[in-house]
């Protein structure tokens, strides 16, 4: 059987993580191709519904990249994101999903290397977890 | 040739039920089954919930007696957290609970069993409903019935937040105090309800006992079963719905057990049959001997008449009078007359109304001390009340954070499961002879299980107009020989 | 004007919805004036033949209450759809799956094992379980099959209208009377109409909001709340902001937090997700960044059983609507 190639959805804040991803690209830093990035204006605009929807549609992992604490362009969007993610991580196991499938990181526009490293690690972790068990179970 | 009759109304208990009757070659009843065709599994999916939420989850087991589940659950929480409710909270709970009993019993007596009794089992099906009852007793009285039920619902709503699926129960108390204004409203409604119950008892005497055929039906052999009885009593062995010991008496009325609700597992066990989703509780000391009555069978009954059978009397004067009158007329105590469950319900209504009035005029009822906050957690607790339909047990086990690990529920209707099966069979045997089946006869079979008030469907079964009950008679190869519908 | 035909069908229900219909008291008579109730399984025999004899669309309005949990219940839903011009999901069970829908956190086999074997009062050493077909001596008996999951009506048939609540509040049930009058004149409400408020429970709640942040959560049994103030702002997780109004905030008026029985507010699909957003924006201190991540984690740890609290009435229609393993 072919090796499991996870699908990871990444919500990246335009001002930091998305720019970080850009930088990683420009710097030709290698990271796994499993990530599909969705650019958002602020990590705070990622609604928990979007995250659950991604899992429902079969995403094996969901990544959220936001600005470092204090740096959010919308003042406190990233703090709210942190709480949403913490709450979701409590919720997911009750539905049979491993909380490790959801990951939040603060990545600035200058941290291209860190972006690549985080994504590499996260992809490895999802590979270990295997496919989203919800795939096919949804109705 | 074997015939098969199916009575398949949708009847709520924890879901739905049907009756199957099998005839032998002579056309007499050979077997009859009362099957519950649904299961929802609250015991399982309550695992993992925060235990303090249970009083707001478990009422959805039954929307006809949500107050009973709410209260049993709340009392289980007192035990789980090892906390006593304040005196005011206890009185508020009991006042709420009296109103709950009233509303359930009124619904049952007037909307369900009433039509059978007041109009007679052979009345035209189109008439055999609450509207028919109103026609018989007059519109004025009909309006009083509706008003009494609305009042009983209203009292629950004032205290409990909602009448159906109340919210006010908390470990150690209740969520909100009663204002003086609310108390006055309740007092007025309780006064009306006491009068209404006096009237109802009188109606029973005038309309029913004077009708010879009905009186005979009540005391006759068709609906007779000699079983054990179980119910809750106070320290003076008087009926109590909210708290007390559980007492069991035998066919002659001798006490065979008296225990604290939390000891129920020593006394009650449940049997499973592959043809029903509902289990069959029985007395553990005697054992499961199948669907039979008598001393050697562990089958016992709960619900109104059972409660009156196990008690030595009622705690309020008018109810006590009605209690004595009933047993005198029935000519035996304990009474084994299944249809007398309906009568006993009226006696209980009287007690509930009188007790509600007592509580509504109690100084402490408007007290502001309504909660004791738990200090720790015991992690296990039993809550028990007399639900309108019989003794109800909620038993929870939690972890140290109060998350539910295990749940055991013994629901009132469930405990009459065996008896209902037996009553249906016996009634069917008496009324279906030589393959002769007609509407009135079938209704008499249904009356047997309706007496136990298994739940709403039965209650609203005859609410609007005709009940198109269909009976299919088949030969042993499943060919339809005859279809009767009404 | 000719009388309408009204049918009331049901799935796995507690009957509280039927009781709620009775609770409109004398107005039931108005209802029967407008419409003949041609089918009400709670009130009548469940013979499908009664329903089958209607032509397509011959029934004007069908109400359905209860979760869909067995083969029979699903069949009724389909029949009602076929025979009716309009179908209304009545009560939270039909609208969103309701409390019985929490069975999606487990499975039929687990339920059987618990109910028929593991519960301490059960005496069943051979683990006998109910069977869809069984011979008892020479008699053959059948039981309908229990599904592994609970479904809302929308997951089974096309639904036109919704009347949420567990049970639906009397004031909303009474609104069916003008709706029926309209139908008599040939005016149907737009498809998808929800007979309830377009705002949230918070909008109807009399408790005072001060727009304070919370730095701790409390379970209902842990504190005695100030009876004048918003419960959520006192740390009691109240679903008001994530719940459609129309009930008159009955629970918070009794000083208990809303548990969301009216379902998600307009425009929201997933009620739990909305509640998570609501908590995220109120949790913490006025000065963002003053609270360490560990502190936030500690507060959040005080939140127990998010599924059972945030999806109590809506699990089957949630985005992730069952437990997988
Ligand atoms: S919505 Fe509530 S009241 Fe209606 S059937 Fe479901 S649980 Fe019962
Ligand atoms: S959160 Fe709850 S208590 Fe607060 S205003 Fe909303 S409904 Fe009322
Ligand atoms: S306050 Fe919330 S739980 Fe209570 S009735 Fe209203 S919507 Fe339902
Ligand atoms: S702008 Fe980047 S997280 Fe808010």
């Amino acid at each position: 059987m072919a090796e499991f190639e996870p699908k990871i959805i990444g919500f990246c804040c335009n001002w930091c993580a998305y720019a970080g991803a850009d930088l990683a690209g420009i710097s030709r830093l290698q990271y796994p191709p499993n990530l599909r990035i969705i650019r958002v204006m602020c990590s705070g605009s990622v609604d928990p519904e979007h995250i659950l929807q991604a899992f429902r549609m079969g995403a094996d992992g969901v990544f959220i990249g936001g600005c470092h604490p204090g740096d959010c362009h919308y003042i406190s969007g990233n703090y709210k994101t942190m709480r949403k993610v913490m709450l979701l991580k409590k919720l997911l196991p009750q539905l049979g999903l491993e909380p490790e499938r959801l990951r939040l990181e603060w990545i600035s526009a200058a941290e291209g290397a860190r972006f690549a490293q985080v994504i590499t690690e996260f992809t490895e972790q999802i590979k270990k977890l295997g496919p989203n068990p919800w795939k096919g179970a949804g109705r | 040739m074997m015939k098969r009759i199916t009575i398949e109304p949708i009847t709520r208990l924890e879901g739905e039920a049907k009756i199957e009757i099998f005839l032998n070659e002579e056309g007499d009843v050979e077997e009859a089954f009362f099957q519950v065709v649904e299961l929802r599994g609250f015991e399982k999916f309550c695992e993992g919930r925060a235990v303090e939420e249970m009083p707001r989850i478990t009422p959805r087991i039954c929307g006809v007696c949500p107050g009973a589940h709410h209260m049993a659950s709340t009392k289980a929480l007192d035990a789980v957290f090892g906390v006593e409710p304040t005196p005011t909270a206890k009185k508020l709970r009991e006042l709420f609970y009296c109103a709950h009993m009233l509303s359930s019993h009124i619904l049952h007596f007037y909307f369900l069993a009433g039509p059978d009794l007041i109009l007679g089992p052979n009345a035209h099906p189109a008439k055999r409903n609450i509207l028919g009852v109103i026609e018989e007793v007059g519109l004025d009285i009909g309006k009083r019935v509706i008003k009494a039920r609305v009042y009983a619902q209203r009292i629950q709503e004032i205290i409990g937040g909602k009448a159906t699926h109340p919210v006010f129960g908390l470990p150690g108390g209740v969520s909100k105090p009663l204002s003086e204004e609310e108390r006055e409203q309740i007092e007025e409604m309780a006064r009306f309800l006491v009068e209404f119950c006096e009237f109802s008892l009188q109606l029973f005497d005038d309309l029913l006992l004077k009708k010879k055929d009905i009186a005979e039906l009540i005391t006759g052999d068709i609906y007779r079963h000699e079983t054990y009885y179980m119910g809750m009593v106070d320290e003076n062995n008087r009926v109590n719905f909210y708290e007390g010991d559980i007492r069991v008496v035998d066919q002659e009325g001798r006490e065979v057990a008296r225990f604290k609700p939390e000891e129920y597992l020593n006394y009650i066990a449940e049997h499973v049959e592959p043809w029903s989703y509902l289990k069959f509780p029985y007395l553990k000391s005697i054992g499961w001997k199948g669907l039979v009555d008598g001393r050697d069978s562990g089958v016992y009954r709960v619900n109104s008449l059972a409660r009156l059978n196990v008690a030595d009397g009622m705690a309020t004067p008018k109810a006590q009078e009605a209690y004595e009158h009933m047993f005198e007329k029935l000519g035996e105590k304990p009474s084994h007359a299944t249809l007398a469950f309906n009568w006993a319900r009226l006696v209980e209504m009287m007690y509930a109304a009188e007790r509600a009035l007592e509580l509504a005029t109690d100084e402490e009822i408007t007290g502001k001390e309504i909660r004791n906050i738990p200090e720790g957690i015991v992690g296990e607790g039993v809550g028990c009340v007399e639900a309108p339909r019989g003794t109800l047990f909620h038993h929870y086990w939690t972890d140290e954070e109060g998350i539910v690990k295990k749940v055991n529920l013994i629901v009132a209707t469930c405990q009459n499961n065996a008896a209902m099966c037996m009553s249906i069979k016996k009634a069917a045997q008496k009324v279906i002879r030589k393959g002769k089946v007609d509407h009135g006869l079938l209704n008499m079979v249904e009356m047997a299980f309706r007496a136990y008030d298994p739940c709403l469907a039965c209650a609203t079964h005859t609410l609007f107009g005709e009940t198109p009950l269909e009976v299919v008679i088949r030969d042993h190869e499943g060919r339809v020989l005859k279809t009767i519908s009404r | 004007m000719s009388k309408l035909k009204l049918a009331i069908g049901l799935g796995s229900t507690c009957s509280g919805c039927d009781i709620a219909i009775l609770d409109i008291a004398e107005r039931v008579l108005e209802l029967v004036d407008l419409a003949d109730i041609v089918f009400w399984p709670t009130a009548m025999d469940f013979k499908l033949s009664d329903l089958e004899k209607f032509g397509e669309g011959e029934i004007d309005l069908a109400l359905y209450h209860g979760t869909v949990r067995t083969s029979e219940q699903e069949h009724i839903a389909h029949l009602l759809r076929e025979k009716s011009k309009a179908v209304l999901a009545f009560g939270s069970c039909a609208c969103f799956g309701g409390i019985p829908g929490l069975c999606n956190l487990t499975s039929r086999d687990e339920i059987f094992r618990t109910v028929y074997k593991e519960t301490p009062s059960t005496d069943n050493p051979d683990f006998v379980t109910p069977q869809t077909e069984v011979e008892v001596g020479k008699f053959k008996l059948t039981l309908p099959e229990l599904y592994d999951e609970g479904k809302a009506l929308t997951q089974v048939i096309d639904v036109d209208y919704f009347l949420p609540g567990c049970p639906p509040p009397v004031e909303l049930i009474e609104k069916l009377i003008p709706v029926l009058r309209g139908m008599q004149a040939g005016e149907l409400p737009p498809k998808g109409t929800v007979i309830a408020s377009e705002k949230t429970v918070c909008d109807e709640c009399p408790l005072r909001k001060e727009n304070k942040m919370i730095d701790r959560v409390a379970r209902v049994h842990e504190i005695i709340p100030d009876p004048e103030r918003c419960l959520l702002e006192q740390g009691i997780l109240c679903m008001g902001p994530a719940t459609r109004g129309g009930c008159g905030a009955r629970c918070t008026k009794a000083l208990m937090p809303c548990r969301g029985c009216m379902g998600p507010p307009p425009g929201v699909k997933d009620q739990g997700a909305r509640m998570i957003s609501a908590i995220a924006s109120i949790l913490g201190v006025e000065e963002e960044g003053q609270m360490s991540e560990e502190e936030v984690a500690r507060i959040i740890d005080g939140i127990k059983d998010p599924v059972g609290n945030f999806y109590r009435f809506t699990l089957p229609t949630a985005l992730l609507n069952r437990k997988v393993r």
Side-chain angles (χ1 to χ4, degrees):
Chain A
M1 217 171 75
E3 202 196 336
F4 161 59
E5 283 300 339
K7 281 198 186 73
I8 299 173
I9 300 295
F11 295 99
C12 292
C13 160
N14 178 52
W15 306 101
C16 49
Y18 192 83
D22 245 6
L23 181 61
I26 295 163
S27 324
R28 299 182 182 282
L29 293 167
Q30 289 292 323
Y31 65 89
N34 306 64
L35 183 72
R36 317 266 198 287
I37 296 184
I38 297 172
R39 174 157 58 157
V40 293
M41 287 314 282
C42 170
S43 70
S45 67
V46 179
D47 193 286
E49 263 194 20
H50 301 146
I51 299 168
L52 296 175
Q53 183 75 46
F55 284 123
R56 179 187 173 90
M57 292 173 75
D60 301 297
V62 175
F63 172 81
I64 300 162
C67 307
H68 281 277
D71 291 349
C72 173
H73 286 57
Y74 303 90
I75 303 167
S76 61
N78 53 357
Y79 290 105
K80 291 200 176 72
T81 309
M82 179 178 81
R83 294 176 215 131
K84 287 178 201 165
V85 168
M86 282 182 179
L87 280 158
L88 283 166
K89 279 173 175 287
K90 274 198 82 123
L91 175 77
L92 291 176
Q94 285 194 292
L95 298 165
L97 284 174
E98 300 84 351
E100 296 79 22
R101 291 184 189 274
L102 175 61
R103 181 150 173 174
L104 168 69
E105 288 291 343
W106 310 135
I107 295 174
S108 76
E111 295 176 310
R114 193 152 161 269
F115 183 88
Q117 184 208 339
V118 164
I119 295 304
T120 310
E121 251 177 57
F122 188 43
T123 310
E124 278 315 305
Q125 188 172 28
I126 300 293
K127 277 190 179 164
K128 274 196 212 106
L129 288 173
N132 173 357
W134 219 81
K135 230 182 273 184
R139 284 147 240 246
Chain B
M1 171 182 41
M2 191 163 85
K3 290 178 183 172
R4 174 196 190 107
I5 303 175
T6 308
I7 305 181
E8 200 175 354
I10 283 293
T11 60
R12 299 287 71 57
L13 350 110
E14 198 192 343
E16 306 160 4
K18 63 176 177 183
I19 297 173
E20 290 264 11
I21 300 167
F22 293 92
L23 305 187
N24 62 15
E25 279 164 37
E26 285 77 49
D28 292 340
V29 174
E30 180 150 345
E31 250 321 331
F33 295 90
F34 168 67
Q35 292 180 277
V36 173
V37 298
E38 211 211 322
L39 164 82
R40 289 187 291 158
F42 275 77
E43 286 98 329
K44 184 70 200 174
F45 65 69
C46 287
E47 288 174 8
R49 310 286 74 82
V51 73
E52 71 276 12
E53 298 289 331
M54 292 293 276
R56 298 185 69 180
I57 296 175
T58 55
R60 273 74 180 187
I61 290 169
C62 172
V64 188
C65 58
H69 287 286
H70 184 73
M71 204 48 74
S73 189
T74 302
K75 288 180 73 187
L77 291 188
D78 293 341
V80 164
F81 288 102
V83 62
E84 275 290 309
T86 66
T88 296
K90 215 165 119 180
K91 285 179 179 161
L92 281 170
R93 288 182 188 179
E94 196 185 342
L95 176 53
F96 164 90
Y97 203 59
C98 288
H100 179 61
M101 273 290 181
L102 277 161
S103 114
S104 175
H105 278 5
I106 292 170
L107 182 73
H108 181 265
F109 184 78
Y110 284 98
F111 291 68
L112 151 65
D116 292 333
L117 296 173
I118 296 173
L119 305 168
N122 297 314
H124 191 278
K127 285 262 153 70
R128 206 164 47 223
N129 54 47
I130 181 69
L131 303 177
V133 171
I134 292 175
E135 210 172 279
E136 175 84 14
V137 298
L139 189 62
D140 273 1
I141 294 175
K143 283 194 173 150
R144 276 172 88 177
V145 173
I146 292 176
K147 185 167 159 189
R149 201 186 91 77
V150 166
Y151 277 6
Q153 291 286 85
R154 182 77 195 118
I155 295 174
Q156 291 177 77
E157 197 179 316
I158 291 173
I159 303 171
K162 288 158 69 185
T164 300
H165 306 325
V167 302
F168 76 128
L170 285 162
V174 297
S175 67
K176 114 181 154 36
L178 194 69
S179 71
E180 175 54 25
E181 196 191 328
E182 289 166 331
R183 191 205 62 76
E184 279 165 20
Q185 284 174 26
I186 294 178
E187 182 185 336
E188 204 188 303
M189 293 190 270
R191 283 191 199 286
F192 172 85
L193 285 163
V194 170
E195 268 171 49
F196 178 77
C197 293
E198 281 179 315
F199 154 80
S200 300
L201 282 159
Q202 193 59 47
L203 181 86
F204 192 85
D205 264 19
D206 293 349
L207 269 176
L208 300 181
L209 295 184
K210 293 197 176 122
K211 283 188 186 152
K212 215 165 151 260
D213 52 336
I214 297 284
E216 256 166 35
L217 263 186
I218 292 175
T219 51
D221 188 47
I222 296 187
Y223 295 111
R224 191 178 169 85
H225 275 294
E226 300 193 1
T227 62
Y228 291 92
Y229 296 96
M230 183 187 284
M232 196 185 261
V233 291
D234 67 12
E235 62 283 0
N236 299 316
N237 283 342
R238 294 171 312 192
V239 169
N240 199 299
F241 303 137
Y242 176 75
E243 66 184 344
D245 284 350
I246 308 298
R247 195 179 194 210
V248 182
V249 301
D250 69 8
Q251 296 72 7
E252 269 85 54
R254 286 179 299 242
E255 179 177 300
V256 293
R258 188 189 173 111
F259 59 92
K260 300 255 166 274
E262 52 272 25
E263 299 162 347
Y264 78 103
L265 282 174
N266 298 334
Y267 296 88
I268 302 171
E270 296 174 287
H271 171 80
V272 181
E273 286 284 349
W275 46 267
S276 180
Y277 281 116
L278 194 62
K279 295 187 276 193
F280 296 83
Y282 59 92
L283 293 175
K284 218 171 172 175
S285 58
I286 308 211
W288 176 254
K289 305 285 161 59
L291 297 168
V292 285
D293 62 6
R295 177 165 303 276
D296 299 329
S297 165
V299 171
Y300 65 95
R301 292 194 279 182
V302 297
N303 202 324
S304 55
L305 182 65
R307 285 188 284 258
L308 267 50
N309 275 341
V310 304
D312 296 341
M314 310 300 288
T316 56
K318 288 181 177 133
Q320 174 64 21
E321 219 176 281
Y323 172 94
E324 285 167 17
H325 175 66
M326 183 190 88
F327 279 115
E328 189 201 307
K329 288 275 177 195
L330 289 173
E332 59 174 3
K333 179 167 182 258
S335 164
H336 303 295
T338 303
L339 287 194
F341 275 84
N342 295 313
W343 195 346
R345 228 158 255 140
L346 292 176
V347 177
E348 291 194 328
M349 269 165 59
M350 188 74 245
Y351 166 67
E354 284 182 292
R355 181 68 186 140
L357 184 57
E358 267 174 33
L359 288 162
T361 50
D362 188 306
E363 274 182 12
E364 235 174 358
I365 201 82
T366 46
K368 299 296 167 231
E369 300 294 312
I370 50 157
R371 276 178 75 184
N372 285 321
I373 295 290
E375 279 162 15
I377 184 160
V378 177
E380 183 187 341
V382 174
C384 175
V385 291
E386 280 296 330
R389 289 154 197 82
T391 322
L392 169 66
F393 298 91
H394 279 218
H395 191 175
Y396 310 150
W397 290 260
T398 73
D399 66 12
E400 62 289 345
E401 293 210 297
I403 303 300
V404 175
K405 284 196 307 201
K406 198 161 77 173
V407 174
N408 197 30
L409 304 171
I410 296 193
V411 179
T413 295
C414 188
Q415 294 165 91
N416 280 337
N417 193 7
M420 278 190 282
C421 292
M422 286 153 45
S423 293
I424 286 153
K425 181 173 169 186
K426 190 166 178 188
Q429 278 171 336
K430 296 264 173 193
V431 301
I432 302 175
R433 282 285 168 79
K434 302 271 168 280
K436 197 170 157 284
V437 184
D438 71 35
H439 303 146
L441 292 183
L442 275 171
N443 194 47
M444 283 171 76
V445 174
E446 280 194 274
M447 277 168 76
F449 88 101
R450 247 182 258 156
Y452 296 99
D453 182 15
C455 242
L456 177 67
C458 340
T460 49
H461 195 223
T462 49
L463 191 63
F464 292 112
E466 186 160 349
T467 304
L469 186 68
E470 195 172 77
V471 183
V472 184
I473 304 174
R474 299 170 196 275
D475 67 15
H476 60 291
E477 279 160 7
R479 282 186 302 247
V480 177
L481 293 180
K482 198 175 172 191
T483 304
I484 305 174
S485 50
R486 66 176 194 221
Chain C
M1 241 176 262
S2 72
K3 248 179 139 181
L4 298 168
K5 289 193 175 62
L6 177 70
I8 306 175
L10 56 133
S12 177
T13 170
C14 79
S15 296
C17 279
D18 290 313
I19 294 284
I21 297 173
L22 292 184
D23 281 347
I24 70 173
E26 302 92 13
R27 299 206 70 188
V28 167
L29 301 176
E30 250 176 276
L31 199 88
V32 228
D33 254 1
L34 279 167
D36 282 324
I37 300 185
V38 294
F39 184 73
W40 189 359
T42 308
M44 306 173 188
D45 180 17
F46 191 79
K47 279 304 163 211
L48 293 182
S49 52
D50 292 313
L51 201 52
E52 273 155 5
K53 65 178 190 249
F54 286 99
E56 221 171 280
E58 213 181 300
I59 295 170
D60 295 281
L61 179 66
L63 314 184
Y64 187 98
H65 63 82
T67 312
V68 183
R69 197 69 197 287
T70 67
S71 41
E72 260 179 39
Q73 292 162 353
E74 174 150 8
H75 183 56
I76 298 294
H78 285 293
L79 263 182
L80 282 178
R81 178 66 275 178
E82 185 191 317
K83 307 293 182 188
S84 315
K85 289 193 187 71
V87 174
L88 178 142
F90 189 90
S92 308
C93 289
C95 289
F96 327 110
I99 283 186
L102 289 175
C103 69
N104 286 9
L105 294 175
T106 157
S107 67
R108 175 180 47 215
D109 289 351
E110 279 178 16
I111 289 176
F112 272 25
R113 204 175 320 121
T114 300
V115 172
Y116 300 119
K117 191 170 169 117
E118 287 163 1
T119 35
S121 47
T122 304
D123 180 19
N124 186 12
D126 301 333
F127 194 18
V128 172
T129 55
Q131 304 293 319
T132 48
E133 262 189 49
V134 63
E135 309 245 337
V136 184
K138 56 185 165 183
F139 311 109
K140 197 163 150 202
L141 295 170
T142 58
L143 288 172
E145 184 190 340
L146 197 68
Y147 286 164
D148 214 22
E149 63 186 349
K151 295 181 207 171
L153 193 59
T154 32
Q155 291 168 308
V156 176
I157 57 167
D158 184 35
V159 176
D160 301 291
Y161 313 123
F162 301 85
L163 204 179
C166 182
V170 166
E171 314 85 81
L172 297 183
I173 301 175
E174 285 177 345
K175 293 205 170 142
L176 280 177
I177 292 168
V179 167
L180 286 170
R181 271 210 194 95
M183 288 180 107
Q184 223 172 18
E187 290 159 25
L188 269 71
K191 194 174 164 90
T193 297
V194 181
I195 304 180
S197 159
E198 288 301 299
K199 294 183 173 164
T200 66
V201 171
C202 289
D203 282 296
E204 305 177 333
C205 175
L207 302 182
R208 194 177 71 244
K209 271 197 144 165
E210 293 171 357
N211 294 319
K212 286 239 165 69
M213 304 288 273
I214 52 170
D215 56 8
R216 58 168 187 164
V217 294
R219 291 161 71 179
V220 284
H221 61 288
E222 292 172 340
I223 60 165
I224 298 180
D226 174 343
E228 315 269 296
R229 284 193 47 213
C230 165
L231 299 171
L232 186 55
E233 292 183 0
Q234 301 182 67
I236 296 175
L237 296 184
C238 174
M239 291 280 288
T243 303
R244 186 190 279 270
C247 65
R250 289 185 287 180
C251 301
T252 63
K253 282 180 186 155
L255 285 182
M256 289 296 275
C258 170
R259 283 293 170 252
C261 79
M262 295 289 290
V268 175
K269 175 154 177 48
D270 191 289
Q271 194 177 17
R274 171 51 60 99
M275 188 58 194
I276 286 176
S277 294
I279 297 175
S281 52
I282 185 175
L283 198 145
V285 285
E286 302 304 327
E287 269 313 300
E288 292 281 9
Q290 300 270 312
M291 202 183 250
S292 73
E293 212 162 304
E294 290 70 41
E295 259 175 291
V296 178
R298 189 187 43 75
I299 302 171
I300 286 181
D301 198 48
I303 299 176
K304 303 297 173 202
D305 185 28
V307 167
N309 285 326
F310 305 163
Y311 292 98
R312 181 163 305 165
F313 296 90
T314 60
L315 185 59
T317 42
L319 284 166
L320 299 183
N321 62 3
R322 66 166 305 150
K323 184 175 178 181
V324 288
R325 60 211 77 227

